[in-house]
Amino acid sequence: MTTSRTCLALLFSLSALGAHAANTIDPQSTGATDVWKEFGNTLTMLTNPLDDPLYLGNTDFIVGDTAHGELRIDDGSEIITPQAYIARQAGSMGVVTVEGPGSMLSMQYPFHVGGFGDGTLNVLGGATISSIASTRDGAVIGAEPGSTGALYVDGIGSAATLSSSLVVGPLGDGTLDITGGATVTSTGGYVATLANSTGVVTVDGEGSTWTNTGPLTVAIEGQGTLRISQGGHVTASSTHVSTRGGVGTIEFDDAALTTGMLYASPDQLPGVGTIHATGLISDMDLVFDAAHGLEQTLHIDELPGQDITLHLNATGLNDMGAGYKSTGSLQIADGIQLASGAGYIGYFAGAMGNVTIDGDGSEWNLSSSLNVGYDGDGALLVTGGASVAGEGRGIYIADRQASSGVVTVEGAGSTLSSGSVLRVGDSGEGELHILNGGVVSSPTSYLGYLGGSAGAVTVDGSGSTFVSQSLNVGGKGSASMLVTGGANVECTYGQLGAAASGQVVIDGPGSSFHIEETLIVAFNGPGVLTISAGAEVTAKALTIDNDLGSDGRVRMSTGGRLLLQGNADDSLTEFFDLIGGTDAIEYWDVSTAEWEPLTSATLGDDYTLEFLTTGQLAGYTLLTVGQLPAVTGDYNGDGVVSAADYTLWRNNLGGDAVAVFADGSRAAGLTGAIGQDDYQVWKQNFGARASALPAPLAATTVPEPASLWLVVAVAVCLTVTISRRFEGT
């Protein structure tokens, strides 16, 4: 601040030394005459006297090409040029001063202050400069390595108006001072953009403003500082502090920033001031609930002397999230509905963001993308009947390399939906858990999308559902999907192992994978589909090992069921005729304890074939391999310990257990008539399912006998449904 004010005072004192003509080269007669116009590759030196106004037509304007050049525009004079360079080449020095009401420098294209040399542009005492360039970088201050550039705009009425962005320090050292009630307007602002650059912007004094109709970024890769002081005001559609490794701060001293989205950590906002924002990605704990609405005031005071008042109005459609540089959280509860643009959870590498959407009616609706683990680590929990909907650019779990993301959708009524694409492990390591009745849907889904990524999906529990028109397990990254506990996955087209490994396990009674059209197991990469413990896979068409690379197989055991469209129950050979590619279906051979080709199994003993003539799957042939494993407490043998088993126990109390109970369902050591010990066994195992997995994935609360009648009434319907589906009728 002191340096810039000293420079301005010196300029004013020099201007008072004596009268001179408007549009003057070398106004102080110091030999600073290196001023040119250029057309094509032809340079023509300009000399006094200059026209007023001076129209340069199609020629560019250069002050300080290889040496020292100075130009003064005052007394209401004007220069109009397509493009201006101040200190263009290394070793040059250029100074342009535009001073006084009505004095103007007008440009059609981008201008550079400090190309490779040291350049200064002063706009003083009510003068104006303008550029109607529509390119991204309309004004560049300190353009190249080793250069220095400075734009000083001072005084009421002094203005710089740009139809494009203003870049302060793209590769060199840039300075922008807006003081004394002056104004600068641009479509965007970038401070210290590339590595080794520095940029310092000062907006000081009442009425001093920098208005950006687009985004403002302070320190992309360089070292950038924005100082707003003594009533100064900066406006932007969004504000980012430190993006691609840059070091940036916005320093406040009784001043204000008005922005749409604010991407900043509290430690990047020192000083005393006010921020108005409509979106926030930061390292704070943010709550939207009955006590904290979408409009709230936050106080930031983590640093010594810091007192920032942040007025957040989250009623618009700007970005929201948690975890910018370090740790942040966001909670939505009590039926609050948050609408935003994009969502970022764990923005930068090293950041950790946690978001919880909880309760019936609580919603987060995004018009752009949702990124859980963008460059950092992110976790999203949707529970208690809440919903998250990414209707714009899709949902990305572990978006970039080295990122990680975990999404859990848990409980009946809890939903996660994408309007375009869902990627679990886009470039990093992503997990999606759909539990206890949660529902996830997307038109297109990828698990393990790009090389080096990993994606894992678990769908567990009755009512838990994953729906996708196109489901790809294992793109260029590895992926797995586990469907268990009576959960369901539905798609129109399914593919395992597009290029990398894709593995899917469907396990347990009621668990199903339904493909409306075609399922390909091993497209151009390895793929394995395992169907076990009474689980069911249905497809109109199946291809195994699409590229005939011997890296695709379907493995079936313990009552696993595979249904394909067509009448093919006469022989295994006939059934294989329904399958494209290879016949690589394997079964678990108990005698060898190995997966063996199904062709070596015995029809009727190891597997069965049945053509279905009734029900929703009429016209399909059912292949069942092995027997459903016994479950202690599953007295009716349907693979699930449920209220139906209680009913069977109650109705046969005192009866013959051998005649009533399914084989292997009674606890070891119990003999004789059905009694109270059998009830205790049922109670202890309530919710257990037949499974080929090592251990149950979830526990279920056991109802007490007083509340059993309601459970029984509901469970009877469920049992009938499961039984019919199991029979394929």
Side-chain angles (χ1 to χ4, degrees):
M1 172 65 73
T2 303
T3 302
S4 61
R5 290 192 180 280
T6 302
C7 292
L8 290 173
L10 178 60
L11 287 165
F12 280 124
S13 65
L14 290 173
S15 67
L17 290 177
H20 47 74
N23 291 345
T24 305
I25 296 171
D26 191 20
Q28 307 304 321
S29 301
T30 59
T33 59
D34 192 41
V35 179
W36 306 79
K37 65 179 181 179
E38 182 179 46
F39 181 76
N41 293 320
T42 302
L43 282 169
T44 303
M45 177 172 278
L46 295 175
T47 58
N48 291 323
L50 298 175
D51 292 340
D52 181 17
L54 176 62
Y55 298 96
L56 292 174
N58 293 326
T59 61
D60 294 336
F61 185 45
I62 305 165
V63 178
D65 184 39
T66 59
H68 184 188
E70 292 191 19
L71 173 73
R72 187 176 188 84
I73 306 169
D74 60 6
D75 293 338
S77 300
E78 181 178 5
I79 292 180
I80 302 172
T81 180
Q83 195 163 357
Y85 297 93
I86 303 174
R88 185 165 71 165
Q89 298 191 50
S92 65
M93 178 181 296
V95 179
V96 174
T97 300
V98 189
E99 183 176 3
S103 301
M104 293 188 294
L105 173 60
S106 302
M107 294 156 285
Q108 295 174 295
Y109 300 110
F111 66 91
H112 290 193
V113 181
F116 284 91
D118 300 330
T120 302
L121 174 56
N122 306 295
V123 186
L124 312 172
T128 61
I129 65 169
S130 64
S131 171
I132 60 173
S134 58
T135 59
R136 181 178 182 271
D137 302 334
V140 180
I141 315 298
E144 302 294 341
S147 69
T148 61
L151 171 59
Y152 301 111
V153 188
D154 179 74
I156 296 173
S158 299
T161 304
L162 311 174
S163 297
S164 56
S165 59
L166 173 57
V167 185
V168 182
L171 284 166
D173 298 334
T175 300
L176 169 64
D177 280 4
I178 308 167
T179 57
T183 63
V184 172
T185 303
S186 56
T187 60
Y190 302 91
V191 183
T193 57
L194 297 177
N196 302 315
S197 65
T198 60
V200 178
V201 176
T202 300
V203 184
D204 177 71
E206 290 290 339
S208 299
T209 62
W210 184 14
T211 302
N212 292 281
T213 57
L216 168 63
T217 303
V218 180
I220 298 177
E221 295 180 4
Q223 184 167 337
T225 303
L226 170 60
R227 300 187 179 111
I228 319 172
S229 57
Q230 301 303 309
H233 193 183
V234 174
T235 304
S237 65
S238 65
T239 301
H240 294 71
V241 183
S242 302
T243 54
R244 297 196 300 265
V247 178
T249 57
I250 301 179
E251 301 175 0
F252 292 85
D253 181 9
D254 194 20
L257 167 67
T258 299
T259 184
M261 300 161 286
L262 176 62
Y263 292 74
S265 183
D267 63 4
Q268 297 172 322
L269 306 170
V272 178
T274 302
I275 300 174
H276 298 269
T278 56
L280 182 64
I281 312 291
S282 189
D283 300 317
M284 295 184 281
D285 297 323
L286 191 59
V287 177
F288 296 118
D289 60 12
H292 307 84
L294 296 177
E295 298 184 50
Q296 52 185 272
T297 298
L298 307 170
H299 295 283
I300 304 173
D301 55 4
E302 296 181 4
L303 301 175
Q306 184 183 41
D307 186 7
I308 301 295
T309 301
L310 171 58
H311 298 287
L312 177 63
N313 182 349
T315 59
L317 289 174
N318 283 315
D319 299 350
M320 294 294 297
Y324 185 61
K325 286 177 53 187
S326 55
T327 302
S329 67
L330 168 63
Q331 297 181 44
I332 303 173
D334 300 332
I336 295 295
Q337 298 178 1
L338 174 66
S340 73
Y344 294 97
I345 307 173
Y347 193 84
F348 280 124
M352 178 65 212
N354 288 281
V355 174
T356 300
I357 320 296
D358 182 23
D360 186 34
S362 301
E363 298 179 4
W364 188 9
N365 300 307
L366 302 102
S367 61
S368 188
S369 63
L370 171 60
N371 304 271
V372 183
Y374 185 55
D375 260 322
D377 302 327
L380 169 64
L381 171 62
V382 186
T383 187
S387 68
V388 172
E391 298 304 320
R393 296 176 52 202
I395 298 174
Y396 303 87
I397 305 174
D399 194 9
R400 298 186 176 183
Q401 289 185 352
S403 67
S404 68
V406 179
V407 174
T408 303
V409 183
E410 190 264 343
S414 301
T415 63
L416 173 72
S417 62
S418 170
S420 56
V421 66
L422 168 64
R423 295 180 184 170
V424 182
D426 189 18
S427 294
E429 296 184 2
E431 298 179 20
L432 171 61
H433 304 283
I434 310 169
L435 309 174
N436 302 323
V439 176
V440 172
S441 62
S442 175
T444 303
S445 300
Y446 295 94
L447 283 57
Y449 184 66
L450 295 176
S453 67
V457 171
T458 299
V459 193
D460 181 27
S462 179
S464 300
T465 306
F466 183 18
V467 180
S468 184
Q469 294 176 18
S470 175
L471 176 57
N472 303 273
V473 182
K476 295 181 180 179
S478 61
S480 63
M481 181 172 72
L482 169 63
V483 184
T484 189
N488 302 281
V489 174
E490 302 173 9
C491 66
T492 305
Y493 296 95
Q495 182 172 275
L496 282 62
S501 172
Q503 299 190 41
V504 171
V505 175
I506 316 297
D507 180 79
S511 302
S512 67
F513 184 15
H514 176 72
I515 303 94
E516 185 176 340
E517 295 293 337
T518 303
L519 173 64
I520 300 175
V521 179
F523 186 74
N524 283 320
V528 178
L529 169 63
T530 302
I531 314 168
S532 58
E536 182 175 288
V537 173
T538 306
K540 184 176 290 185
L542 171 65
T543 296
I544 304 175
D545 200 7
N546 179 74
D547 62 353
L548 304 179
S550 301
D551 52 4
R553 53 195 31 82
V554 174
R555 289 174 166 170
M556 303 180 64
S557 70
T558 55
R561 298 153 58 89
L562 173 63
L563 295 102
L564 300 177
Q565 190 177 53
N567 187 347
D569 63 349
D570 290 340
S571 67
L572 190 60
T573 300
E574 187 179 36
F575 186 79
F576 282 160
D577 287 341
L578 301 178
I579 301 173
T582 69
D583 301 334
I585 296 181
E586 300 174 343
Y587 80 109
W588 183 254
D589 190 334
V590 177
S591 64
T592 64
E594 297 285 349
W595 291 104
E596 303 288 356
L598 189 59
T599 52
S600 65
T602 302
L603 177 63
D605 292 335
D606 300 312
Y607 68 92
T608 61
L609 289 168
E610 179 187 1
F611 178 65
L612 307 182
T613 58
T614 61
Q616 293 183 344
L617 294 175
Y620 280 71
T621 298
L622 166 64
L623 168 65
T624 304
V625 177
Q627 299 295 321
L628 188 67
V631 179
T632 302
D634 175 26
Y635 298 138
N636 65 2
D638 67 354
V640 183
V641 182
S642 64
D645 300 300
Y646 170 82
T647 300
L648 185 66
W649 168 82
R650 177 178 53 81
N651 291 344
N652 293 276
L653 188 62
D656 183 0
V658 175
V660 174
F661 286 170
D663 291 343
S665 64
R666 206 176 194 198
L670 290 182
T671 59
I674 298 172
Q676 290 297 323
D677 288 342
D678 294 299
Y679 166 76
Q680 293 298 327
V681 169
W682 170 84
K683 180 179 178 180
Q684 292 167 6
N685 290 279
F686 183 83
R689 290 176 176 267
S691 176
L693 300 176
L697 293 179
T700 305
T701 301
V702 181
E704 293 299 322
S707 61
L708 277 174
W709 292 112
L710 178 61
V711 176
V712 168
V714 175
V716 166
C717 298
L718 292 174
T719 304
V720 170
T721 302
I722 292 172
S723 177
R724 286 178 176 172
R725 292 184 62 190
F726 186 76
E727 294 169 2
T729 59

